[in-house]
Amino acid sequence: MVSPAGDEWEALYRRYGRTVLHAATLAAGGSAYDGWDGVQHAFSQAWLYLTEPSRPPVHNWVGWLRKSAVRYVVQAAKSEARALPLLDRDQQQDGPLLENWVAVKEEYQGVLKAVAALPTRQRQALALCCIAGCSVKEAALIMDVEDGTVRSLISQARQAMPPRRGEETGDEQ
């Protein structure tokens, strides 16, 4: 007999496993090997979280899992840069799988089309803050508007963008 935590964990994995894998693989520079490590870490942390009754509920599991997997991949990459490579590591698995490249390419093309369809000011605010890495203050100076206007434009742009494959829309909760 499976525990309620086990049922919930299994449902989380079935629902979000691929989404978390895509995010972790992307964060790992396309390495499916490292992406799977991130997925394993995220779902093992979810298991620990689900079996600890004193923890508050998670309201956005997909975000929580993605963040956990990506953080793990980034931290592992930092550690790996300082470590000696293992001789028995399967080098063929270290590269991206074709299926992952296709999924990333399709998602990227969809994002480009959605960004191109945004109104000009929303597109500018999104590009300055989310692509160019400008702070809200810097973007506001460049656009000659108030900080709050930039935040509002980014929020409107994000709401206008279609959800990425496997991403929650927020309507389900």
Side-chain angles (χ1 to χ4, degrees):
M1 184 169 149
V2 179
S3 71
D7 288 340
E8 189 174 355
W9 183 90
E10 190 173 327
L12 285 173
Y13 185 79
R14 271 191 258 113
R15 186 167 184 188
Y16 303 125
R18 289 187 61 79
T19 300
V20 175
L21 175 61
H22 288 297
T25 301
L26 190 59
S31 171
Y33 181 85
D34 294 334
W36 276 112
D37 282 350
V39 169
Q40 182 177 3
H41 172 77
F43 281 96
S44 66
Q45 292 301 305
W47 174 257
L48 294 173
Y49 202 92
L50 288 169
T51 56
E52 177 58 47
S54 65
R55 296 196 180 180
V58 173
H59 298 290
N60 180 8
W61 272 109
V62 68
W64 190 92
L65 290 163
R66 261 199 316 247
K67 183 183 267 187
S68 179
V70 168
R71 280 184 178 171
Y72 179 83
V73 167
V74 169
Q75 290 297 332
K78 286 181 185 177
S79 300
E80 195 173 287
R82 291 183 223 119
L84 294 174
L86 299 175
L87 295 175
D88 62 345
R89 184 168 173 180
D90 184 3
Q91 295 297 323
Q92 289 181 333
Q93 266 192 330
D94 208 21
L97 297 174
L98 180 59
E99 127 185 10
N100 291 336
W101 276 117
V102 170
V104 168
K105 181 181 176 186
E106 288 173 356
E107 186 171 341
Y108 176 71
Q109 289 173 335
V111 168
L112 288 179
K113 286 179 185 174
V115 169
L118 291 172
T120 303
R121 287 171 37 95
Q122 288 179 12
R123 188 173 56 247
Q124 289 171 344
L126 192 70
L128 286 169
C129 292
C130 300
I131 298 172
C134 293
S135 69
V136 170
K137 277 193 179 309
E138 292 169 327
L141 286 172
I142 292 168
M143 295 177 69
D144 196 27
V145 296
E146 296 293 321
D147 296 1
T149 303
V150 172
R151 285 187 200 92
S152 177
L153 289 167
I154 290 171
S155 176
Q156 292 167 10
R158 286 182 174 157
Q159 289 175 358
M161 299 279 286
R164 293 186 309 239
R165 182 185 12 217
E167 185 175 78
E168 291 289 315
T169 61
D171 298 333
E172 294 84 7
Q173 295 179 2

